[in-house]
Amino acid sequence: MRITATAVSLNVDDVPASSAFLVRHFGFREEMAADGFASLTREDAGVNVAFLRRGLPTLPADQRDVAAAGLILAFVVDDLEGELRRLQDEGVAITMPLTVEEWGERAFQVRDPNGVIVQLVDWKA
C-alpha cells in the first residue's frame, strides 16, 4: 500500500462555521466545498481537514447523525506562546490554558463554533 494523502473528516452541524474558523485563525484554505461539505488544506499541515454536515444522506446510516466528539485536532507549532498571544489578540477563547505535561508536551486548546477541539502543541525535552 502507498498512501498519497491523509485527511480527517468531522461531522458537524454548521460546516461553513468550522471551515471559516480554520481559515481565519489557522491559515487553512478551502480546497473544495459544496452544500454540507468542505475540504481544507495547508501545504505544511500534512493532513487535510474535511467537514461534513450531520445528517448528510451520502453518509452511511450509522454515521449520519454522529457529531465530532472526543477528538482533538492537534497541530505542532514552532512558537507556542506566540500562537497563544495571536489567538487571544484575535478574540479566540482559550478553553484549556497552556499546560506542561511531565513527558515534555506543552499545549493549549481552543474550540471552533461546533465544539471541535483544536490543540496547539510543542515538545520540550
Side-chain angles (χ1 to χ4, degrees), residues 60-71:
D62 66 340
Q63 296 175 20
R64 284 185 195 140
D65 293 317
V66 176
L71 133 94

Side-chain angles (χ1 to χ4, degrees), residues 90-113:
E90 292 175 2
V92 176
I94 307 305
T95 56
M96 182 185 89
L98 183 58
T99 303
V100 179
E101 301 293 349
E102 62 186 53
W103 54 85
E105 177 186 78
R106 299 178 336 126
F108 69 90
Q109 295 178 349
V110 301
R111 288 182 186 257
D112 87 346

Side-chain angles (χ1 to χ4, degrees), residues 70-91:
L71 133 94
I72 298 171
L73 282 178
F75 301 120
V76 178
V77 297
D78 291 333
D79 180 8
L80 192 62
E81 287 84 357
E83 294 301 323
L84 177 60
R85 282 189 303 278
R86 178 185 64 79
L87 288 166
Q88 288 171 324
D89 290 347
E90 292 175 2

Side-chain angles (χ1 to χ4, degrees), residues 9-120:
S9 294
L10 307 170
N11 293 351
V12 297
D13 289 321
D14 186 345
V15 169
S18 283
S19 180
F21 187 80
L22 284 189
V23 168
R24 178 174 180 208
H25 298 295
F26 295 97
F28 279 79
R29 67 177 169 76
E30 268 192 3
E31 188 171 56
M32 293 181 278
D35 183 34
F37 167 80
S39 177
L40 294 99
T41 189
R42 255 186 80 121
E43 302 307 319
D44 60 350
V47 65
N48 286 6
V49 178
F51 294 108
L52 303 171
R53 186 180 62 240
R54 284 181 3 128
L56 277 179
T58 56
L59 290 170
D62 66 340
Q63 296 175 20
R64 284 185 195 140
D65 293 317
V66 176
L71 133 94
I72 298 171
L73 282 178
F75 301 120
V76 178
V77 297
D78 291 333
D79 180 8
L80 192 62
E81 287 84 357
E83 294 301 323
L84 177 60
R85 282 189 303 278
R86 178 185 64 79
L87 288 166
Q88 288 171 324
D89 290 347
E90 292 175 2
V92 176
I94 307 305
T95 56
M96 182 185 89
L98 183 58
T99 303
V100 179
E101 301 293 349
E102 62 186 53
W103 54 85
E105 177 186 78
R106 299 178 336 126
F108 69 90
Q109 295 178 349
V110 301
R111 288 182 186 257
D112 87 346
N114 285 292
V116 175
I117 299 167
V118 179
Q119 177 172 294
L120 296 186

